[in-house]
Amino acid sequence: MVKNLSEEGSDKIDWDTEDELEIQEIQDAIFSSCRDLRTTGQHALSGDGEASSSSVPCRLSKFIQQFVVMGFSEESIAKAIEQNGENSDLVLDALLTFKVIEDSPAEQPTASPQLDPSISSDDSYSEYNENFLDDVYEEESWSSDSDNRICYLKDESSSLSENEQTLLSLANMGYPVEEVSIAMEICGKEASLAELTDFICAAQMSRAEDPYLPEDVKPKLKHISNDSGGYKKRKMFNQLCKGKKQRTIFDGDPISLPKPMIGFGVPTVSGPAMVRRTLPKKAVGPPFFYYENVALAPKGVWDRIASHLYDIEPEFVDSKYFCAAARKRGYIHNLPVEGRFPLLPLPPRTINEALPLSKRWWPSWDTREHLNCLQTAIGSARLTDRIRKAVEDVDGEPPMRVQKYVLEQCRKWNLVWVGRNKVAPLEPDEVEMLLGFPKNHTRGGGISRTDRYKSLGNSFQVDTVAYHLSVLKDLYPEGINVLSLFSGIGGAEVALYRLGIPLKNVVSVEKSEVNRNIVRSWRENTNQRGNLIDFDDVQQLNGDCLEQLIDSFGGFDLVIGGSPCNNLAGSNRVSRDGLEGKESSLFFEYPRILDLVKNIMSGGR
DNA sequence: CAGACTATGATTGCATAC
DNA sequence: GTATGCAATCATAGTCTG
């Protein structure tokens, strides 16, 4: 006999999506949830706003100039510098943010749900949380200046369709184009301008967290505002709309990566305030599932992966929007995408903030503000020595040729400055921090340093995954049963724990013994109740075994895991063989097991 | 033998120039 | 449209050392 889901929580979950199969709520529900959001937890971020910029002396004039030529008012620039210091990226983000906010009719900063204090104040995470809680909600700092944001559409009206005309009207009223196009899609073609503006206002009010713009948008905005060609304008318009339209996997187009790579949204970027997606009927659970792998896989791999996971469109997200290191990953899941909230504190998102000790040694010509993807191997001592010699040989700033070489190597190996003319790979505990794990998570207990790098390099970025899983918190107040495949060092478990979602029964499958030990010892250290059941091979999980497990505690609420990327990852020079490769072909175990779980839980077996 | 250390490009997508 | 340059990338295999 097949059990219900967790008795307490399952009845709250609306798996029955009528015929529409809409996972997201309709407009009314969104409106009410916005109200809830606003009343449940005004967690005003407070901070000192980087005291580094108490004054703006003359030597900054060049720094300011670059923003003036982009068309920002000096007043805004001064404000942005005051809040962000001399970090050009952050200043530009802030300036774009001011513009968006000032253009929006509703300029109400919004709240985001609060975490359990017991979780967010965990000692493991509190030590770096004071440095990066910038106050981005200083309303009086939202200066006004002239609006030239959407003028590129103006001379196009004669050739535009009715929809485009509506979009143009609203854009001219100051509403961000992306939000208008979303509103038009959700409210329908017949929606009046008033309905659309109401919708957009509500959406803006519900937007959680700091409305930074992605850096990827900057050159585009600049480019477009200078552009007078109709072709490019139309192309831009199409791109804005393209991301929102429903796409089926077998319509001929291969899956392409979004730009910026923010999936259905990230807390640190102002994008479309809410999204709605339609899941294929067969994808609607139970259980919830969450699959992950590298975004930059060989051509066609994601199409194949998606075809085995109910043709769900992957959500591609770069973890650089969550931490100071890039991590471009694709996620296929059937989770709701509305009502997400991030783990607090928000981790530092620049190298400077994440590794403050490196600031002293960082040369001005090394313009990196983000680290690249944290991988499984580190740069060699010989390389750092070569770099030291190359930089040491010259007085002052090295010649361009040397700078280029050093920067190239630093980017390739994620080297950071740790002394005069001295670069070094990250330490394992720094990698742990960047990936959102507690310090020393992978330390000791029989694991070698080399294996620490390897296990960490193969792991989730916890904040990113937690953001996606956060929607489960309200659905399962009593906790969840998790089937964790390819668990590694327990990125999924750590994410759920940090979200404050109790782990009732965890069935964990992980080949590496040291990794299994890491997860087990982490559970003991954190005094978690509930059971942990280990397997070392996914192929052991057959129908009988799963049926027994499901019978014993009533089904899985979440099936989560990222299958091996060895044969997909770009760093692999030897055996990048695609999905059929030796390790990566284990992917097929994921849909196999997921289908079994689904069938058993629906009584189909 | 475990662990540390080191050398080893190709495949993508994108921007730009023509 | 085509050529070119640029940048990013959850790694593997061989060697050395204690």
Side-chain angles (χ1 to χ4, degrees):
Chain A
M1 177 60 196
V2 176
K3 311 281 189 302
N4 286 332
L5 290 177
S6 56
E7 297 75 10
E8 305 83 0
S10 59
D11 52 350
K12 297 176 111 179
I13 302 169
D14 185 19
W15 283 113
D16 177 17
T17 53
E18 322 249 344
D19 295 329
E20 308 268 4
L21 298 170
E22 308 280 339
I23 282 297
Q24 294 308 301
E25 304 293 342
I26 56 174
Q27 191 179 350
D28 286 349
I30 293 171
F31 273 66
S32 65
S33 75
C34 295
R35 282 195 298 274
D36 292 340
L37 243 183
R38 294 169 56 74
T39 53
T40 48
Q42 192 89 10
H43 93 292
L45 291 174
S46 62
D48 58 17
E50 279 292 331
S52 67
S53 54
S54 52
S55 64
V56 186
C58 296
R59 65 184 173 80
L60 286 183
S61 62
K62 206 170 180 180
F63 185 74
I64 295 175
Q65 195 62 28
Q66 62 179 311
F67 301 110
V68 173
V69 299
M70 294 178 192
F72 294 106
S73 73
E74 290 182 24
E75 190 187 350
S76 311
I77 297 169
K79 279 288 178 193
I81 294 175
E82 200 173 313
Q83 290 184 358
N84 297 283
E86 297 173 39
N87 182 323
S88 60
D89 228 16
L90 292 179
V91 168
L92 191 43
D93 278 353
L95 287 167
L96 289 165
T97 302
F98 294 163
K99 204 153 204 26
V100 169
I101 293 168
E102 140 213 326
D103 292 342
S104 305
E107 53 174 38
Q108 194 87 19
T110 58
S112 118
Q114 186 73 275
L115 276 185
D116 287 351
S118 60
I119 303 300
S120 60
S121 64
D122 186 321
D123 285 341
S124 306
Y125 302 101
S126 60
E127 54 185 281
Y128 60 90
N129 69 0
E130 292 171 358
N131 300 331
F132 51 90
L133 293 180
D134 294 333
D135 185 0
V136 293
Y137 293 134
E138 285 182 43
E139 290 179 49
E140 63 275 17
S141 71
W142 297 341
S143 61
S144 62
D145 69 15
S146 63
D147 182 1
N148 56 5
R149 181 165 40 85
I150 43 77
C151 60
Y152 62 91
L153 280 171
K154 283 182 182 169
D155 62 357
E156 283 264 287
S157 52
S158 57
S159 61
L160 295 177
S161 71
E162 200 172 308
N163 276 359
E164 291 166 330
Q165 296 260 18
T166 307
L167 186 142
L168 178 58
S169 307
L170 287 164
N172 280 335
M173 289 162 68
Y175 293 93
V177 175
E178 291 184 56
E179 297 186 18
V180 175
S181 62
I182 295 281
M184 287 169 61
E185 191 187 338
I186 293 178
C187 298
K189 283 183 182 173
E190 281 72 33
S192 67
L193 283 183
E195 286 174 302
L196 291 169
T197 55
D198 279 352
F199 181 90
I200 298 168
C201 290
Q204 286 168 340
M205 290 195 302
S206 79
R207 189 179 302 149
E209 292 295 332
D210 137 23
Y212 274 3
L213 281 174
E215 61 187 322
D216 313 28
V217 170
K218 293 168 213 161
K220 271 190 181 166
L221 288 174
K222 187 184 166 192
H223 180 70
I224 285 162
S225 61
N226 294 335
D227 170 45
S228 59
Y231 167 71
K232 287 200 170 179
K233 294 168 193 169
R234 177 59 65 101
K235 191 176 170 190
M236 176 62 184
F237 176 84
N238 288 337
Q239 279 179 346
L240 285 173
C241 300
K242 188 175 142 193
K244 286 86 197 176
K245 78 171 186 196
Q246 190 60 34
R247 206 191 68 85
T248 53
I249 298 299
F250 291 117
D251 62 0
D253 330 330
I255 292 175
S256 59
L257 301 176
K259 197 175 175 189
M261 199 182 278
I262 58 173
F264 293 112
V266 292
T268 53
V269 171
S270 105
M274 58 190 64
V275 287
R276 190 181 70 148
R277 67 166 176 170
T278 306
L279 285 172
K281 187 173 181 180
K282 54 198 171 176
V284 178
F288 283 118
F289 70 92
Y290 188 85
Y291 172 81
E292 178 259 12
N293 216 320
V294 290
L296 279 57
K299 269 183 181 170
V301 165
W302 273 105
D303 297 87
R304 287 203 65 201
I305 292 174
S307 75
H308 285 80
L309 291 172
Y310 315 114
D311 289 334
I312 297 176
E313 177 116 13
E315 174 171 16
F316 291 104
V317 181
D318 189 339
S319 293
K320 75 175 182 180
Y321 300 108
F322 289 85
C323 70
R327 204 168 188 81
K328 298 174 179 63
R329 296 293 180 267
Y331 306 90
I332 290 187
H333 61 84
N334 64 348
L335 294 163
V337 295
E338 191 219 336
R340 292 170 167 179
F341 59 91
L343 287 178
L344 298 178
L346 292 179
R349 274 178 292 124
T350 63
I351 299 175
N352 241 333
E353 291 165 342
L355 307 168
L357 293 179
S358 70
K359 188 173 184 175
R360 179 173 169 201
W361 309 110
W362 210 272
S364 61
W365 47 268
D366 184 346
T367 52
R368 290 176 298 156
E369 289 177 351
H370 279 101
L371 293 163
N372 278 335
C373 185
L374 304 169
Q375 308 204 100
T376 57
I378 61 170
S380 69
R382 287 205 183 159
L383 174 61
T384 62
D385 200 45
R386 282 197 289 270
I387 289 173
R388 181 180 58 80
K389 284 175 177 147
V391 181
E392 218 169 43
D393 280 349
V394 292
D395 288 335
E397 209 162 271
M400 285 305 290
R401 188 178 48 80
V402 174
Q403 286 185 22
K404 195 181 167 195
Y405 163 74
V406 172
L407 256 179
E408 203 177 286
Q409 295 301 313
C410 286
R411 286 200 168 104
K412 182 182 279 188
W413 292 103
N414 258 338
L415 304 173
V416 296
W417 296 90
V418 296
R420 178 181 294 279
N421 301 328
K422 211 166 70 167
V423 291
L426 294 168
E427 288 295 310
D429 64 323
E430 291 170 329
V431 182
E432 283 168 348
M433 181 267 289
L434 288 163
L435 290 175
F437 288 93
K439 199 167 187 169
N440 294 332
H441 182 73
T442 59
R443 189 180 186 187
I447 189 172
S448 72
R449 189 181 161 89
T450 307
D451 280 344
R452 278 183 86 184
Y453 282 117
K454 187 170 181 182
S455 294
L456 284 162
N458 281 312
S459 174
F460 287 164
Q461 205 287 325
V462 170
D463 298 86
T464 310
V465 173
Y467 183 62
H468 296 159
L469 299 180
S470 61
V471 294
L472 295 173
K473 180 159 181 169
D474 283 344
L475 298 177
Y476 299 98
E478 305 299 322
I480 60 176
N481 296 324
V482 181
L483 174 55
S484 174
L485 304 174
F486 313 105
S487 297
I489 56 174
E493 291 88 336
V494 173
L496 291 164
Y497 173 75
R498 288 193 61 193
L499 283 165
I501 301 174
L503 297 165
K504 293 198 295 193
N505 296 285
V506 177
V507 175
S508 169
V509 188
E510 168 58 36
K511 186 181 65 175
S512 155
E513 187 184 351
V514 284
N515 283 349
R516 291 200 302 274
N517 290 338
I518 286 170
V519 175
R520 192 165 281 284
S521 116
W522 167 76
R523 284 180 67 90
E524 287 162 6
N525 291 344
T526 48
N527 294 318
Q528 295 189 51
R529 292 181 307 208
N531 305 309
L532 172 60
I533 304 170
D534 273 341
F535 289 88
D536 66 349
D537 186 357
V538 282
Q539 294 173 352
Q540 293 173 336
L541 285 189
N542 56 27
D544 292 340
C545 175
L546 285 166
E547 193 159 359
Q548 205 173 335
L549 288 165
I550 290 170
D551 276 350
S552 70
F553 49 76
F556 292 108
D557 304 309
L558 174 67
V559 178
I560 186 167
S563 64
C565 66
N566 307 34
N567 310 116
L568 310 178
S571 310
N572 190 342
R573 292 127 142 106
V574 181
S575 52
R576 197 183 186 190
D577 303 327
L579 209 52
E580 311 294 342
K582 186 163 171 277
E583 286 84 17
S584 293
S585 56
L586 285 172
F587 156 75
F588 296 103
E589 295 294 312
Y590 187 96
R592 177 185 72 80
I593 291 171
L594 181 58
D595 277 338
L596 280 172
V597 171
K598 214 175 174 68
N599 283 335
I600 295 169
M601 286 176 58
S602 66
R605 189 189 147 90

